[in-house]
Amino acid sequence: MKKKVVILGGGPNRIGQGIEFDYCCCHAAYALKEEGVESIMVNCNPETVSTDYDTSDKLYFEPLTLEDIMNILEKEKPIGVIVQFGGQTPLNLAVPLLKAGVKLLGTSADSIDIAEDRKRFQQMLHKLGLLQPVNGTAFTFEQAKEVANKIGYPVLIRPSYVLGGRAMEIAYDEQVLEKFIKEASEVSGEHPILVDKFLEDAIEVDVDLVGDGKDFIIGGIMEHIEQAGVHSGDAAMSLPTYTLSVEILKQIRQATIYMAKELHIIGLMNVQYAVKDGKVYILEVNPRASRTVPFVSKVIGVPLVNLATKVMLGKKLKDLGFTKEIIPRHVAIKESVFPFNRFPGVDIILGPEMKSTGEVMGIDVDFGQAYIKSQLAAGQKLPKKGNVFISVNDRDKRNIILIAKKLKDLGFKIYASGGTAAVLARSKITAKVLPKISEGKPNVLDLMKEGKIQLVINTPSGRIPRIDEVKIRSQVVLHGIPYSTTIFGAQATVNGIEVLLKKKLKVKSLQEYYKIKGKKVK
C-alpha cells in the first residue's frame, strides 16, 4: 500500500494572500509523486491550480479548519501532514494538530511556536546575540500607549498570527495609535498586539533558506527597493542585492544560519531584516514557504519547494545536490501587481498592510534593464518624454532634488506643489507650481484629465493622508498614469527611464541566464 501525505493549502484567495502559496502546494504534490508517495491536497479555492483534479492524487475541497482536517486524516491515515506551503493559515493549525496527535512533516510545531510567540522569539534572539527593534506587547490602548512612550515614536502596531500584514500600521503619534489599536485588537483576538519601534529609512531585506535539520542553504537574499515599512508582499525586490556591503551581507548570512540551526529547520524558512546605520535587525522569522520562494527558485534555477518536500520525507540536501548558495550574475526584480483599478477611490499608498494580488519578474544583466522589464510586466508603461508632477512630504524633500534634476536632464518638464517647487528652486531646478485642488484651476487633476501628465511622484504626508493626496493618487489609477509613492521607487523609476532612452530591451530565456554561471558563496 502506497504511503500518503496530506498537504494543507492556503484556502480562499483574497487580497493580502498571495497565489505564490498555490505554486508551493502544487510543487509539493509533484515532488511527492516523484518519491512514489500519494499526495492528498486539502484546499478550498476554485481559482487555483492546486485544486485542479490532476495536480494531486486526491483533493478534498474543504475549509481549512481543525475539525474538517481531522475528519480527513481519520479517513486517509497519512504518514504525515505538511503545513509549510499554504502560508499563515495552515501554520496557525500546527500546534492544534500536534495536540490532536497528528504527525507534522518538517520543522516541529515547537519551533513554529518559537518563531510566532513574541516572548519565546525574543529569548531565542537574545541567546544567539542577535538584534531586533525595541518592542513590547499590549492588549489595550492604555498598555500600547505605555509601550510607545517607553520605546519612542514612530511605532509599528501589528496583531499576532496574521497574514498579509492585516491591521498592521505605523503610528507617528498617540492620536494615530488610538485610531489603529482598536482595529488591531479586533483582529488579534486573544493574542497580544505587538508594538515595535519603527526603523525609519531602513533598508529591508528578505532571505529564503532550505534546511534538512543538519545542513542549511540560503536560496536567495533579496533587497527591497522601497524602504522599510512597505509589506514584503507589496515591495519590489532585487536579487542579488544592489546596495548592501559585503560586511552587512556576511552578518545577514550568519544570522540566518544561526536561527535555522536553533529552530532545527526541516524544509523552508523566510527571514525579514532591516538594515540601518550599519546594524542588522531581525524583524520576523517565518518557518514556512514565503511569497518569494517561486521568485527565488526561478532566478537561481533551483526548485526550492521540491527540495523542501523531499527533505521532509527524510532525504538530505547533500544527496539532492544543493550544497551552496548561488548568487546569480544576472539581476532579477520582483514587482507586485495591484488591483487598484478595480477599486475606484481606494488610496494606492503602500504600507505595512499587504494590498497586492500578484507578482511579476523582470530579468536582465543589469539593474536598470531588469527594473524596466518588471515595470512593463506590472502594467506601468514608463514615459520617454512629457511632464512629471512631483509632490513629496518634508522628509523626502532633500532626496527628491537629484531625482528631479535627472528628470530635467532627460528632457521632462516638471510640475510641482508649492512646497516641493520651492525646494527645487533653491537647487536651480525650474518647476511650474500648480495650485492646491481646492485653491484653483488648472490644478493637477485637470492636467491629468487632459493627458498632460505622464508620471506622478507623490509620497504621503503621514499614515492619515491629506484629502488632496488621496484625490491625486485615485486619479492616477483612473487615467493609467505611472506613479511612485516612495522615494526609493522614484529613484529606480527614473533610472529605468534613463535605460529606456539609452538602450534597447532584449529578451532571453531563463535557461540562457542560467548558463551565465552564478557565483558560489565560500
Side-chain angles (χ1 to χ4, degrees):
M1 195 176 160
K2 232 181 178 186
K3 287 178 182 173
K4 300 174 183 177
V5 167
V6 168
I7 303 163
L8 301 185
N13 244 15
R14 50 200 178 269
I15 292 168
Q17 177 136 352
I19 203 75
E20 301 87 350
F21 298 130
D22 198 59
Y23 163 102
C24 294
C25 289
C26 292
H27 280 260
Y30 304 149
L32 290 173
K33 277 183 188 174
E34 284 173 23
E35 294 299 303
V37 176
E38 187 177 320
S39 60
I40 300 165
M41 188 77 67
V42 181
N43 208 359
C44 51
N45 193 341
E47 289 293 310
T48 57
V49 182
S50 65
T51 52
D52 282 359
Y53 65 91
D54 57 351
T55 297
S56 52
D57 295 307
K58 275 185 194 161
L59 168 69
Y60 282 88
F61 200 91
E62 298 292 336
L64 286 142
T65 66
L66 185 63
E67 190 183 355
D68 288 284
I69 292 161
M70 289 309 295
N71 288 340
I72 294 163
L73 299 181
E74 220 172 284
K75 183 180 187 313
E76 292 293 346
K77 297 183 173 54
I79 59 164
V81 175
I82 296 176
V83 296
Q84 284 189 25
F85 297 139
Q88 197 68 33
T89 308
L91 204 71
N92 287 350
L93 291 162
V95 175
L97 284 170
L98 186 76
K99 284 177 180 169
V102 174
K103 182 174 166 49
L104 299 182
L105 296 181
T107 306
S108 71
D110 187 54
S111 290
I112 291 168
D113 193 56
I114 290 170
E116 293 285 339
D117 183 285
R118 176 49 61 103
K119 283 200 168 65
R120 295 188 76 192
F121 183 59
Q122 224 167 15
Q123 284 163 2
M124 180 190 82
L125 295 184
H126 186 68
K127 179 186 168 185
L128 297 172
L130 300 173
L131 290 174
Q132 72 173 147
V134 191
N135 59 72
T137 56
F139 284 94
T140 64
F141 166 61
E142 286 306 316
Q143 289 173 347
K145 191 168 79 170
E146 210 176 296
V147 174
N149 287 333
K150 191 177 166 189
I151 66 180
Y153 288 95
V155 293
L156 183 70
I157 314 154
R158 54 186 172 142
S160 330
Y161 292 88
V162 295
L163 183 73
R166 191 168 160 225
M168 200 188 278
E169 287 294 346
I170 298 162
Y172 283 86
D173 53 47
E174 201 173 291
Q175 186 191 349
V176 178
L177 181 75
E178 188 171 13
K179 182 182 186 298
F180 292 129
I181 209 85
K182 190 172 176 286
E183 191 188 339
S185 56
E186 281 170 11
V187 172
S188 213
E190 68 200 49
H191 298 294
I193 300 152
L194 314 176
V195 184
D196 298 277
K197 175 72 179 165
F198 176 60
L199 302 171
E200 286 189 282
D201 302 321
I203 296 167
E204 204 160 326
V205 179
D206 257 74
V207 182
D208 281 323
L209 168 141
V210 62
D212 60 16
K214 186 176 171 236
D215 292 320
F216 307 96
I217 312 297
I218 290 171
I221 301 175
M222 291 147 280
E223 182 178 344
H224 290 213
I225 289 167
E226 292 85 1
Q227 66 268 57
V230 173
H231 191 281
S232 62
D234 286 353
M237 297 181 197
S238 171
L239 176 60
T241 61
Y242 65 106
T243 68
L244 298 178
S245 68
V246 172
E247 181 51 40
I248 290 289
L249 288 170
K250 188 182 169 187
Q251 285 182 47
I252 287 170
R253 287 190 176 98
Q254 278 179 345
T256 306
I257 302 297
Y258 288 162
M259 288 187 287
K261 279 181 180 168
E262 186 66 23
L263 292 168
H264 198 69
I265 293 294
I266 300 170
L268 292 165
M269 179 180 91
N270 169 265
V271 190
Q272 286 165 28
Y273 293 95
V275 178
K276 186 174 167 71
D277 301 330
K279 289 181 180 171
V280 174
Y281 296 87
I282 288 105
L283 300 179
E284 64 176 289
V285 174
N286 293 305
R288 58 167 169 85
S290 70
R291 289 181 187 82
T292 46
V293 162
F295 169 70
V296 173
S297 298
K298 284 184 167 67
V299 177
I300 66 170
V302 175
L304 296 177
V305 176
N306 184 291
L307 297 178
T309 307
K310 288 176 181 177
V311 300
M312 285 183 207
L313 295 174
K315 293 212 161 181
K316 294 294 171 199
L317 287 171
K318 210 171 269 179
D319 302 329
L320 294 167
F322 188 51
T323 55
K324 281 198 176 142
E325 178 190 347
I326 297 166
I327 302 173
R329 289 194 185 274
H330 51 272
V331 178
I333 305 289
K334 173 188 89 71
E335 181 57 283
S336 302
V337 178
F338 299 93
F340 296 130
N341 59 344
R342 306 286 175 92
F343 299 100
V346 167
D347 195 1
I348 61 175
I349 203 68
L350 300 181
E353 187 164 20
M354 184 176 161
K355 295 178 179 178
S356 67
T357 48
E359 295 175 336
V360 294
M361 178 167 96
I363 188 166
D364 213 303
V365 290
D366 69 45
F367 180 88
Q369 286 172 288
Y371 184 79
I372 273 293
K373 286 180 179 178
S374 74
Q375 297 311 295
L376 292 169
Q380 287 253 55
K381 298 192 170 39
L382 297 182
K384 292 182 180 179
K385 58 180 182 180
N387 304 322
V388 183
F389 174 72
I390 304 174
S391 175
V392 296
N393 64 42
D394 291 341
R395 285 201 328 272
D396 292 329
K397 285 196 165 102
R398 202 162 131 207
N399 293 324
I400 199 66
I401 295 165
L402 285 175
I403 293 169
K405 187 181 183 310
K406 189 172 263 193
L407 282 165
K408 200 87 181 165
D409 293 346
L410 292 172
F412 286 85
K413 183 179 178 183
I414 296 172
Y415 289 89
S417 58
T420 303
V423 170
L424 296 179
R426 285 200 288 274
S427 295
K428 298 184 173 49
I429 300 165
T430 315
K432 184 166 183 188
V433 180
L434 291 179
K436 286 182 180 174
I437 292 163
S438 56
E439 287 177 358
K441 288 175 177 282
N443 56 48
V444 66
L445 299 187
D446 301 318
L447 294 185
M448 283 196 224
K449 283 174 195 167
E450 291 164 22
K452 289 180 180 173
I453 299 288
Q454 280 65 49
L455 176 68
V456 170
I457 297 170
N458 176 221
T459 65
S461 54
R463 292 302 299 146
I464 302 173
R466 294 179 184 144
I467 294 164
D468 272 21
E469 291 176 7
V470 178
K471 282 182 179 171
I472 291 165
R473 293 194 288 261
S474 299
Q475 285 287 322
V476 158
V477 175
L478 190 66
H479 298 293
I481 300 164
Y483 61 87
S484 183
T485 58
T486 68
I487 209 78
F488 286 78
Q491 182 68 64
T493 298
V494 173
N495 289 348
I497 290 169
E498 189 176 21
V499 168
L500 262 185
L501 290 166
K502 291 179 180 176
K503 294 178 185 175
K504 202 175 175 191
L505 293 178
K506 291 175 185 168
V507 177
K508 267 201 295 199
S509 69
L510 274 174
Q511 287 74 12
E512 285 175 272
Y513 283 109
Y514 297 151
K515 284 175 190 169
I516 311 168
K517 282 288 174 211
K519 295 178 280 185
K520 292 206 171 181
V521 179
K522 289 174 185 172

